[in-house]
Amino acid sequence: WSQRLTWEPIDLGPIWDGLTEGTVERPRPTIGVRTDGHGLFYPGRVNAIFGRYGSAKSYIAGVTAIQEIGLGMKVWWIDLEDNPYGMVERLIDFGVEKAVALKCLRYVNPSSKLTPKSAREFYDAVAEDEPSLIVVDSAGEWGGLQGVKANIDEEIAQFGKAYIAPLARTGAAVVTIDHVGHEQKDPLRAAGSFRKMAAINGAAYLVEMVREMGRGRSGMTKLTCAKDRGGHYARGQVVAELTIDATTSPYIWTLTPPVDTQHGPLADEPPYVRRTLSALEALAPPVKVREVGDYLAHDGEGKPLKARTIQKALERLEELGYAVNVGGSAALGYEWALSANSANEPDTHQEGPDPI
């Protein structure tokens, strides 16, 4: 919690030697692991996820927390948006055992601002616990609790340095949750001051709903890179897709890389084939040609496709092993779904780590 003098010169020699000799690892995202083993969030740094209301931002943070809890790691969740009942209900829905949650999860639900004394006690407690993940839901609400004005650059910058950055100095991956303004010109930026993005020294992602989530539904949301200080992902790149099947108990979730239609077996296929595969990924199976057409009419990737073109694409995807005809008839319309081998790698659509 105590800080060194920030204007004191830093000796870069040990860092230089460590990087060149391999004794110091370059920063890489290792928290929030996709099914291919690549992570989303950087430990020891401030990361962010943001999106419109209802885009499943807290689900992204939630499954990341479940991963860490499943590994026996400590997780702190600073919740200014919900209450303890909502947190416990979600843990139960995802099949987390009570004993594991009570051992590994630290849930904080503040209703008053931190004072110098309470801040010292709070940050000391966090550091002593050595968590691997700290979720702040949401950064905007915490700033408001501290009296910070969301559009005043100087106040946002001071808040980030005084309250968020110390959390990252514990070595944990800090994941802040924020919102996107309705009239915002740049969608790859959270609402309010540009200082919010400047304070991110890990990675930040825009979260967008692809297929609505909710009880009794199977939904999907996608993460697009807005910033990656470590350079592992490019701005504007779709980095991951989270699918949650809430038709089962407990819920089944998968955090996967997006299907790559620009490289590999589909690279030489016509655009209409690749777009049709994207529609199959986004829609709840089984789907008919008409439903695929309705989706592609609003996907923003090109002109709407005719029914016979979509049918041709589906048949081609079936030949390639990406789609399968699961029923229907010529009169009523055939029904299609992704095949079990439709992902880039054989295990891409396996379940996430066992939530214990």
Side-chain angles (χ1 to χ4, degrees):
W1 172 231
S2 59
Q3 303 182 39
R4 62 173 173 77
L5 293 174
T6 57
W7 289 95
E8 178 183 330
I10 299 172
D11 182 4
L12 301 180
I15 301 174
W16 191 295
D17 294 339
L19 288 173
T20 55
E21 296 171 3
T23 57
V24 174
E25 187 176 355
R26 292 176 181 269
R28 62 188 181 94
T30 58
I31 305 295
V33 181
R34 306 182 310 197
T35 52
D36 64 350
H38 295 285
L40 299 174
F41 306 116
Y42 289 82
R45 297 199 172 205
V46 178
N47 307 267
I49 50 179
F50 57 91
R52 298 195 184 282
Y53 289 98
S55 59
K57 301 181 294 294
S58 62
Y59 273 130
I60 299 291
V63 298
T64 302
I66 289 172
Q67 284 186 339
E68 294 305 300
I69 290 173
L71 295 171
M73 307 301 290
K74 302 292 180 57
V75 173
W76 280 65
W77 193 291
I78 305 169
D79 192 355
L80 297 103
E81 296 272 351
D82 202 354
N83 58 55
Y85 297 93
M87 172 58 71
V88 173
E89 184 179 35
R90 184 163 295 182
L91 291 170
I92 293 172
D93 287 341
F94 279 89
V96 179
E97 289 190 356
K98 175 183 176 182
V100 175
L102 296 182
K103 177 182 178 182
C104 296
L105 179 65
R106 308 289 184 263
Y107 179 81
V108 182
N109 192 213
S111 59
S112 59
K113 69 178 183 179
L114 285 172
T115 64
K117 181 178 183 297
S118 62
R120 189 160 42 250
E121 295 171 349
F122 170 69
Y123 289 103
D124 284 347
V126 175
E128 184 177 353
D129 208 32
E130 298 182 341
S132 64
L133 172 68
I134 301 172
V135 176
V136 179
D137 187 8
S138 68
E141 290 297 320
W142 188 359
L145 196 63
Q146 295 298 141
V148 174
K149 295 180 178 62
N151 292 304
I152 305 299
D153 290 343
E154 292 78 6
E155 293 190 13
I156 289 292
Q158 185 177 9
F159 170 74
K161 291 177 180 178
Y163 295 97
I164 304 296
L167 296 174
R169 288 199 288 272
T170 66
V174 177
V175 177
T176 64
I177 299 176
D178 212 331
H179 306 291
V180 170
H182 290 289
E183 303 299 328
Q184 199 158 297
K185 294 181 179 180
D186 182 4
L188 295 180
R189 186 170 69 84
S193 168
F194 77 93
R195 293 284 187 181
K196 289 182 178 180
M197 191 61 73
I200 304 300
N201 61 356
Y205 302 96
L206 170 66
V207 181
E208 296 176 288
M209 189 70 72
V210 175
R211 192 169 66 242
E212 288 295 327
M213 295 182 177
R215 295 186 183 279
R217 300 176 183 173
S218 178
M220 177 191 290
T221 193
K222 67 177 181 179
L223 287 81
T224 301
C225 178
K227 180 179 181 179
D228 182 359
R229 181 60 65 84
H232 287 81
Y233 304 115
R235 190 173 192 268
Q237 175 186 355
V238 178
V239 173
E241 295 171 344
L242 173 66
T243 301
I244 296 178
D245 183 357
T247 66
T248 66
S249 183
Y251 296 171
I252 296 173
W253 61 273
T254 55
L255 184 63
T256 66
V259 172
D260 185 0
T261 61
Q262 303 302 319
H263 304 87
L266 293 180
D268 296 326
E269 295 296 321
Y272 71 86
V273 174
R274 300 199 298 264
R275 286 180 65 196
T276 300
L277 177 59
S278 297
L280 283 181
E281 273 283 301
L283 297 170
V287 298
K288 295 183 178 181
V289 168
R290 174 179 53 79
E291 295 170 306
V292 174
D294 290 343
Y295 176 86
L296 295 178
H298 303 93
D299 69 344
E301 298 296 328
K303 296 180 179 180
L305 299 181
K306 295 181 179 179
R308 63 175 178 270
T309 303
I310 296 172
Q311 181 65 35
K312 182 180 178 181
L314 290 167
E315 292 171 357
R316 177 57 178 159
L317 289 170
E318 187 177 32
E319 292 177 7
L320 294 170
Y322 283 84
V324 59
N325 186 328
V326 295
S329 64
L332 299 176
Y334 291 109
E335 297 178 335
W336 296 85
L338 287 171
S339 74
N341 299 317
S342 62
N344 294 331
E345 300 293 339
D347 64 346
T348 299
H349 282 82
Q350 294 176 351
E351 293 183 24
D354 187 350
I356 303 181

